């Protein structure tokens, strides 16, 4: 794991960019090409890519996945993570922060379970915990919900998942990217695929005008409040045939494949063979990208800034290399970049001097 320094609390982005500045794209853009680091603003992104490059984007919409409930006499908040093939939901129960405390309106972790526990939800619905998602863990549990239409339940009573570093509740629209599309079955992401958040319709138009292509796919993210070093849980994904063809065609003529977010990397790499060819694929992926595994289809990555304990840093190391990742994060800390889903972003591009 790279030696990423501790992130000071004051570098957490507490509100969306449009509330700090002039719009969603009013964030800074750190650019790494190997250990060469430059500093930009997000509207400069079209100047940094070339005609023929492809941006792979996640179209998963963010769900209002946090719902208040009661477990016995205690108040709890249920974070709905992922729906299983058998109709059960992977959920995380959390304890509301005390009123008047710092981070009021957010939640703190609690132990999962026990099996058979019943959570009373709004509208007279009930959730019954059945078993841990991972026998080694206690955080996420499989649960059955009395309501057959959980996405509808979330729309009526849910709100976006929010963590303690944010200043206040935000509307669901603040957690949707410009690429988000509704799914026919109402499925989506428990938490926003946040690397796509700074994009605006204007930025997309300018990129297309300059010959950059967009390749859509979907990966529905689960809750991200993982324990330190906890790998991602299996998540649903779909890479359409049109995206596979576009990526393969661009790569064949030297275009760079830049994933927008770690979710896009995970989905695309799940559809890539050992030969680097991407094929249409869908289902579940438990793929964890590490330096040892490497990447096969992705050349670069646009992503947020991740905590030192996040397993996503292994993915960044696989794409950028350890030296480049450590240098980039050192620069981000020295230049006071903002972390988390409302923060600044990091563009990792191939080090072309290494091949010259």
């Amino acid at each position: 794991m790279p030696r990423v320094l501790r992130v000071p609390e004051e570098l957490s982005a507490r509100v969306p960019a449009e509330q700090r500045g002039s719009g969603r794209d009013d964030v800074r853009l750190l650019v790494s090409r190997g250990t060469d680091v430059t500093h930009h603003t997000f509207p400069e992104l079209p100047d940094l890519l070339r005609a023929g490059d492809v941006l792979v984007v996640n179209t998963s919409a963010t769900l209002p996945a946090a719902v208040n409930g009661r477990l016995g006499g205690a108040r709890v908040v249920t974070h709905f993570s992922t729906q299983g093939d058998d109709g059960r939901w992977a959920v995380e129960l959390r304890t509301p922060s005390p009123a008047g405390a710092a981070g009021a309106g957010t939640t703190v972790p609690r132990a999962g379970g026990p099996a058979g526990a019943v959570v009373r939800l709004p509208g007279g619905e009930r959730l019954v915990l059945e078993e841990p998602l991972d026998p080694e863990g206690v955080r996420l549990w499989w649960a059955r919900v009395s309501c057959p239409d959980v996405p509808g339940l979330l729309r009526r009573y849910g709100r976006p998942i929010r963590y303690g570093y944010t200043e206040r509740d935000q509307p669901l629209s603040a957690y949707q990217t410009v690429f988000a599309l509704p799914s026919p079955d109402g499925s989506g992401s428990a938490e926003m695929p946040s690397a796509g958040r700074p994009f605006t319709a204007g930025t997309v138009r300018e990129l297309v005008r300059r010959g950059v292509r967009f390749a859509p796919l979907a990966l529905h993210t689960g809750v991200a409040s993982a324990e330190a070093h906890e790998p991602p849980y299996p998540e649903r994904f779909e890479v359409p045939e049109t995206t596979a063809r576009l990526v393969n065609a661009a790569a064949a003529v030297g275009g760079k494949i830049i994933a927008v977010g770690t979710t896009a990397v995970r989905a695309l790499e799940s559809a890539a063979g050992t030969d680097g060819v991407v094929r249409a694929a869908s289902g579940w992926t438990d793929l964890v990208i590490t330096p040892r595994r490497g990447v096969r289809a992705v050349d670069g990555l646009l992503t947020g800034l991740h905590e030192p304990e996040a397993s996503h840093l292994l993915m960044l190391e696989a794409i950028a290399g350890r030296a480049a990742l450590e240098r980039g994060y050192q620069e981000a800390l020295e230049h006071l970049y903002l972390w988390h889903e409302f923060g600044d972003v990091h563009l990792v591009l191939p080090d072309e001097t290494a091949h010259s």
Side-chain angles (χ1 to χ4, degrees), residues 84-226:
D85 291 333
D86 60 1
R88 297 187 298 175
W89 279 78
V91 302
E92 179 188 24
L93 298 188
R94 293 175 68 90
T95 299
S97 298
T106 63
T107 61
V108 295
R110 70 178 295 282
V118 177
V119 178
R120 288 171 289 153
L121 299 173
E125 303 295 348
R126 292 156 56 92
L127 176 152
V128 180
L129 299 176
E130 293 193 347
E131 60 182 340
L133 192 67
D134 180 349
E136 300 298 319
V138 296
R139 191 173 63 90
L140 286 175
W141 281 62
W142 286 115
R144 291 203 180 272
V145 187
S146 60
C147 175
D149 178 20
V150 171
L153 176 76
L154 300 182
R155 287 194 298 273
R156 289 191 298 276
Y157 303 112
R159 62 189 181 279
I161 289 174
R162 177 188 158 207
Y163 290 116
Y165 50 77
T166 55
E167 186 174 289
R168 54 182 176 271
D169 285 342
Q170 299 289 342
L172 183 60
S173 58
Y175 291 87
Q176 303 292 11
T177 73
V178 71
F179 307 113
L181 296 173
S183 297
D185 62 357
S187 58
S189 289
E191 300 187 12
M192 171 178 53
S194 56
R197 192 181 191 279
F199 284 88
T200 64
T203 306
V204 172
R205 283 194 300 269
E206 181 61 19
L207 285 161
V208 171
R209 189 185 72 81
R210 297 194 185 198
V212 176
R213 306 289 296 277
F214 285 84
L217 48 69
L219 185 140
H220 300 311
T221 68
V223 296
S225 53

Side-chain angles (χ1 to χ4, degrees), residues 55 105 122 130 233 267 342 345:
L55 288 170
E130 293 193 347
Y233 287 96
F342 296 139
V345 285

Side-chain angles (χ1 to χ4, degrees), residues 286-320:
D286 59 0
L287 178 64
V288 178
I289 307 293
T290 65
R292 182 174 180 179
R293 190 269 186 189
V295 287
R296 299 166 179 171
V298 171
D299 299 307
L301 172 64
L302 177 71
T303 185
L305 294 161
H306 300 283
E307 292 285 0
E309 299 85 2
S311 62
H312 294 312
L313 287 180
L314 291 172
M315 178 187 294
L316 266 71
E317 186 179 347
I319 296 171

Side-chain angles (χ1 to χ4, degrees), residues 249-341:
V253 295
K256 297 294 183 282
I257 310 304
I258 311 296
V260 177
T262 58
T263 61
V265 176
R266 200 171 182 217
L268 195 67
E269 291 290 322
S270 296
T274 55
D275 56 0
V277 175
V278 177
R279 298 168 178 86
S282 63
W284 292 86
T285 180
D286 59 0
L287 178 64
V288 178
I289 307 293
T290 65
R292 182 174 180 179
R293 190 269 186 189
V295 287
R296 299 166 179 171
V298 171
D299 299 307
L301 172 64
L302 177 71
T303 185
L305 294 161
H306 300 283
E307 292 285 0
E309 299 85 2
S311 62
H312 294 312
L313 287 180
L314 291 172
M315 178 187 294
L316 266 71
E317 186 179 347
I319 296 171
R322 175 173 294 206
L325 182 57
E326 290 182 348
R327 174 66 191 281
Y329 270 63
Q330 183 180 42
E331 288 272 328
L333 289 169
E334 289 178 357
H335 289 262
L336 304 180
Y337 277 68
L338 295 180
W339 256 250
H340 302 304
E341 67 266 32

Side-chain angles (χ1 to χ4, degrees), residues 228-246:
H229 308 298
E230 185 179 13
Y233 287 96
E235 293 166 321
R236 290 182 182 273
F237 81 104
E238 180 180 7
V239 177
E241 178 68 32
T242 51
T243 286
R245 290 179 180 177
L246 175 57

